[in-house]
Amino acid sequence: MPDMQTAHSPMIRLHDLQVEFRVPGKRVQAVNGVNLEVGPGEVVALIGESGSGKSVTLRALMRLHPERTTHYAGTLEVAGRDVLKMGKRELAQLRGSSVAMIFQEPLLALDPVYTLGQQITEAIRQHAPVSRAEARARALRLFEKVRIPSPERRLDAYPHEMSGGMRQRAMIALALACEPQVLLADEPTTALDATVQIQILLLLRELQRELGLSIVFVTHDIGAAAEIADRMAVMYAGRIIEQGPAAELLTRPRHPYTRALLKSRSEGAMQKGRRLDTIQGAPPDLSRLPAGCAFAERCAFAAETCLGGQPEETRVGPEHSVRCWRLDELPAQGGPVQRAEPVNG
Amino acid sequence: MIGYLLRRLGYALPIMLGVSFLCFMLVYLAPGDPLVSILPADASAELQKQMMQLYGFDRPLIEQFVRWLWRALQGDLGHSIATSRPVVDEVFKAVGNTLMIAVLATLIGFTLGALFGFVAGYFRNSWGDRLASFVSVIGVSLPNYWLGMVLVIVFSAQLMWLPATGAGPGGSGSWTWDWEHVQYLILPALTMSFIPMGIVARTVRALVADILSQEFVVGLRARGLGEWGVFKHVVKNCAPTALAVMGLQLGYLLGGSILIETVFSWPGTGFLLNQAIFQRDLPLLQGTILVLALFFVALNLLVDVLQTIFDPRIERG
């Protein structure tokens, strides 16, 4: 019921979302109870290691996982509509027109044997009854909007004929073709050079403000997330273990995993001769998740209580919540003061 | 594009020259005397020598080759030893006959093969996939002369629906496109279609499965394209490779299947080759092989050019 929607109701509402992949002999619980709300015009970054369920959550928003092998549970609403109950037709209508997506590697996410112009006009005509010429005119305006040089000529280019940065701009133009309210970004800057990354992030932010887009930005690059996000949510083993306003989460992280993640960044004031802090061990096998906190076995603060069951979401600020058993016992800031050892003794 | 075409033609020329050299020389590797078939067993040495001179068999091989090639370039492949008719006439009549069943067989094979391949690729590990894979394995591995005989037994001998052999009631000389004649095409073409069907089915299955697993298909769905919309993209992505395979299959079939054409007494290239070999008719054998080899080279060229048109990623530069 999109007409009943008010400015305050969220564009995206996930409650206890679960996504499970069922292949013969194996059940992979990729997403295990995600609660997340994204307001109109809000940018939320989903952060985590590979296999943390961030991309799976993102793709679940359009139900893009193979229907036969994927099992969804919980609440999944986009623009006030229940995505899990949609039929094929409704789903096709939602995809592209209300919610659009940009991908990590546009070279792989664009059809290699169609020109960009063909792909954009196809998407426009999929959702709007316009002529080919009108669709092409719109495509041209989109290319100008994302500032692709000599847009007329680029419309007739194939994806492989463009540079990485240009391709990502074209991908953004394609995503915006049907004026969506929500943009899902799946690591859109990961495959790009650092300088191009910044340009794309700035472009995204500019377009977001101009069009009032809600964006879910999936990344493992905290720097990129900090650049664009209003709020951040940190995922681990298919759960959001901490979420809050970007500035607060970056300066006052509470969950041991968030703290470790922030410390393992190479950016910022790294002193010469100091080791980069890394998180020991590997994320858990999603087909055999432990009963307790999934991070416990890698956590410096883990205790007996952590192994018993799932920690509840605890509010620690107006919009800041954490899932950790030992929240009250953690040191106030930055974790235990571990002196980073100089490399040569 | 024109430059690309000329360059490709340039590459094809040395291949054609090499092929013609091999065609000419290979037949001399076989034992036996080319004149045995037309000379009476008690022919005198004098007569033998005269005949050798007449056909030029007494000259050095290289000289024979150059003379042969020079005439071939002018469209003269010599005369058949057995029938004394120009080899060019014999070959092109046979090519025309083979072309009929080969094109029909390729069309049947490609249509069915693509159909099976798409079903199998789209619904992998379903019963449809297993059936399609079974049919394609049968198509590739079943001896086709055996299949031809079975079809003759069923449709000609038992049901009496279709003629068993030949190329029309009056032979191939009076071919017209009416049912009277076309019914003779059906069994050989059907038999011949099994191999391209199996190969095309396997190729298309692998292609479709590969394409469906690619990220851009998720991208297409994320734009709101339905199954039909995605299908069109899959087809266009498959087309270059599938067409290339089809073209090569047509090339193989143009060579005529000696076995199939013999089973059905179909006066095509395979039948002609068979005759030429058994009668040790060297000019006919060389000419037939040459024409077929050149056809194959030309078809390869055509396939390559078509591929660059269909697939923008293939460099023309």
Side-chain angles (χ1 to χ4, degrees):
Chain A
M1 286 162 282
D3 37 329
M4 279 173 63
Q5 205 189 306
T6 66
H8 299 289
S9 64
M11 285 307 298
I12 295 172
R13 198 170 78 85
L14 306 180
H15 184 74
D16 196 26
L17 177 72
Q18 295 173 30
V19 182
E20 189 181 74
F21 299 123
R22 293 177 177 172
V23 286
K26 208 173 174 185
R27 290 183 164 202
V28 179
Q29 295 161 272
V31 176
N32 303 293
V34 160
N35 301 325
L36 183 73
E37 290 191 358
V38 182
E42 191 181 24
V43 182
V44 174
L46 275 183
I47 299 165
E49 294 169 79
S50 16
S52 62
K54 53 192 195 308
S55 286
V56 176
T57 306
L58 193 77
R59 285 170 187 222
L61 287 170
M62 279 203 264
R63 245 170 76 194
L64 282 173
H65 300 294
E67 295 281 325
R68 275 198 298 163
T69 49
T70 312
H71 183 81
Y72 299 93
T75 307
L76 201 176
E77 286 173 11
V78 175
R81 295 155 71 203
D82 186 346
V83 175
L84 296 184
K85 288 214 180 73
M86 285 184 177
K88 267 197 160 77
R89 196 173 289 266
E90 281 176 287
L91 206 53
Q93 220 165 42
L94 173 88
R95 293 169 176 172
S97 72
S98 302
V99 189
M101 191 158 178
I102 56 177
F103 294 80
Q104 173 171 355
E105 179 44 276
L107 189 58
L108 303 177
L110 294 164
D111 188 326
V113 302
Y114 283 75
T115 64
L116 288 156
Q118 285 169 339
Q119 300 192 49
I120 295 176
T121 49
E122 181 188 35
I124 291 172
R125 282 159 58 86
Q126 182 75 24
H127 295 287
V130 297
S131 69
R132 226 172 264 279
E134 168 62 18
R136 188 173 161 97
R138 284 196 201 178
L140 186 63
R141 284 202 293 277
L142 286 163
F143 262 32
E144 284 161 359
K145 199 179 202 79
V146 298
R147 289 198 292 280
I148 289 177
S150 40
E152 182 84 56
R153 198 163 50 83
R154 298 288 183 149
L155 276 180
D156 296 322
Y158 290 96
H160 72 275
E161 294 171 335
M162 296 174 102
S163 69
M166 281 306 133
R167 273 200 289 270
Q168 195 55 280
R169 282 172 195 269
M171 181 99 232
I172 293 170
L174 175 61
L176 298 179
C178 299
E179 293 158 7
Q181 298 151 288
V182 179
L183 183 66
L184 307 179
D186 192 0
E187 307 221 20
T189 56
T190 308
L192 302 171
D193 293 337
T195 50
V196 183
Q197 276 187 19
I198 298 291
Q199 291 171 11
I200 295 291
L201 285 171
L202 291 175
L203 175 70
L204 274 177
R205 193 148 76 176
E206 186 190 315
L207 291 168
Q208 184 269 329
R209 288 196 180 136
E210 188 189 328
L211 306 169
L213 288 169
S214 302
I215 297 183
V216 182
F217 191 97
V218 159
T219 185
H220 60 252
D221 178 357
I222 298 169
E227 201 66 47
I228 194 166
D230 303 316
R231 275 196 305 130
M232 290 189 185
V234 181
M235 286 195 75
Y236 191 82
R239 296 185 186 91
I240 291 178
I241 49 100
E242 179 164 11
Q243 60 175 305
E248 193 174 325
L249 200 119
L250 287 172
T251 51
R252 290 188 295 283
R254 299 293 298 269
H255 197 284
Y257 178 66
T258 315
R259 293 181 182 183
L261 207 60
L262 287 171
K263 266 209 238 162
S264 66
R265 289 199 298 147
S266 61
E267 292 113 285
M270 268 285 283
Q271 274 174 347
K272 200 177 173 188
R274 294 218 156 163
R275 271 182 205 281
L276 180 65
D277 286 325
T278 55
I279 308 174
Q280 298 297 314
D285 182 350
L286 293 172
S287 61
R288 269 173 302 177
L289 281 174
C293 173
F295 186 59
E297 61 171 12
R298 300 168 77 187
C299 181
F301 308 100
E304 203 60 36
T305 48
C306 298
L307 306 173
Q310 286 307 313
E312 285 300 311
E313 222 171 314
T314 314
R315 285 207 171 276
V316 295
E319 282 183 85
H320 192 172
S321 62
V322 184
R323 281 172 182 260
C324 179
W325 282 117
R326 308 200 63 213
L327 192 58
D328 299 329
E329 294 140 81
L330 296 174
Q333 197 54 253
V337 187
Q338 292 171 337
R339 285 258 161 251
E341 293 154 32
V343 171
N344 300 316
Chain B
M1 197 65 203
I2 303 275
Y4 168 77
L5 271 177
L6 288 177
R7 202 162 45 248
R8 285 308 314 253
L9 271 173
Y11 293 148
L13 279 179
I15 297 176
M16 290 184 177
L17 192 69
V19 161
S20 58
F21 183 72
L22 280 178
C23 291
F24 186 83
M25 292 303 173
L26 273 179
V27 294
Y28 286 98
L29 292 178
D33 188 325
L35 293 178
V36 150
S37 61
I38 47 168
L39 284 172
D42 56 351
S44 65
E46 184 63 25
L47 182 62
Q48 262 189 21
K49 208 173 160 194
Q50 268 183 4
M51 292 302 281
M52 293 279 275
Q53 272 171 352
L54 185 63
Y55 281 95
F57 290 138
D58 56 338
R59 297 168 195 273
L61 271 184
I62 291 294
E63 194 190 325
Q64 285 189 49
F65 170 66
V66 173
R67 283 165 163 270
W68 176 75
L69 189 66
W70 179 242
R71 286 207 210 98
L73 284 175
Q74 292 160 328
D76 176 13
L77 288 170
H79 288 71
S80 160
I81 294 178
T83 65
S84 300
R85 283 200 290 260
V87 169
V88 174
D89 295 357
E90 299 270 336
V91 172
F92 279 94
K93 210 172 81 195
V95 165
N97 287 333
T98 294
L99 206 60
M100 285 197 285
I101 52 169
V103 169
L104 192 60
T106 311
L107 286 180
I108 298 172
F110 186 76
T111 311
L112 291 179
L115 191 73
F116 281 129
F118 268 107
V119 170
Y122 251 93
F123 307 103
R124 258 183 309 165
N125 304 319
S126 67
W127 63 267
D129 179 16
R130 263 169 235 139
L131 178 71
S133 300
F134 178 73
V135 171
S136 67
V137 169
I138 292 280
V140 177
S141 49
L142 212 60
N144 49 29
Y145 57 89
W146 179 84
L147 183 72
M149 287 191 273
V150 170
L151 289 179
V152 166
I153 291 170
V154 173
F155 291 100
S156 305
Q158 301 287 325
L159 297 169
M160 301 219 264
W161 288 354
L162 295 164
T165 59
S172 63
S174 60
W175 182 268
T176 46
W177 287 99
D178 54 16
W179 174 244
E180 203 55 11
H181 290 80
V182 168
Q183 57 179 340
Y184 284 85
L185 269 177
I186 296 174
L187 286 184
L190 203 62
T191 310
M192 215 182 218
S193 73
F194 264 63
I195 294 175
M197 183 190 71
I199 290 173
V200 169
R202 287 206 303 202
T203 313
V204 170
R205 178 188 187 270
L207 280 172
V208 169
D210 173 53
I211 288 165
L212 285 178
S213 71
Q214 284 183 31
E215 178 92 337
F216 81 79
V217 175
V218 179
L220 294 173
R221 293 190 204 284
R223 292 173 219 169
L225 261 62
E227 284 309 321
W228 174 244
V230 173
F231 178 76
K232 283 192 283 187
H233 282 261
V234 173
V235 169
K236 195 170 176 197
N237 274 274
C238 280
T241 315
L243 285 178
V245 170
M246 182 178 98
L248 293 183
Q249 285 304 310
L250 181 62
Y252 287 122
L253 296 189
L254 276 188
S257 164
I258 292 185
L259 296 173
I260 291 177
E261 289 184 352
T262 306
V263 167
F264 290 100
S265 302
W266 185 264
T269 47
F271 199 68
L272 191 67
L273 275 178
N274 193 18
Q275 267 183 322
I277 291 167
F278 276 102
Q279 298 175 338
R280 300 214 40 79
D281 193 340
L282 282 198
L284 186 61
L285 191 57
Q286 288 164 332
T288 311
I289 297 176
L290 178 72
V291 170
L292 293 179
L294 294 188
F295 258 118
F296 203 82
V297 173
L299 210 64
N300 263 305
L301 189 66
L302 186 69
V303 165
D304 281 354
V305 172
L306 282 180
Q307 261 193 310
T308 57
I309 291 172
F310 279 102
D311 192 337
R313 285 167 297 179
I314 296 176
E315 283 290 323
R316 295 190 190 112

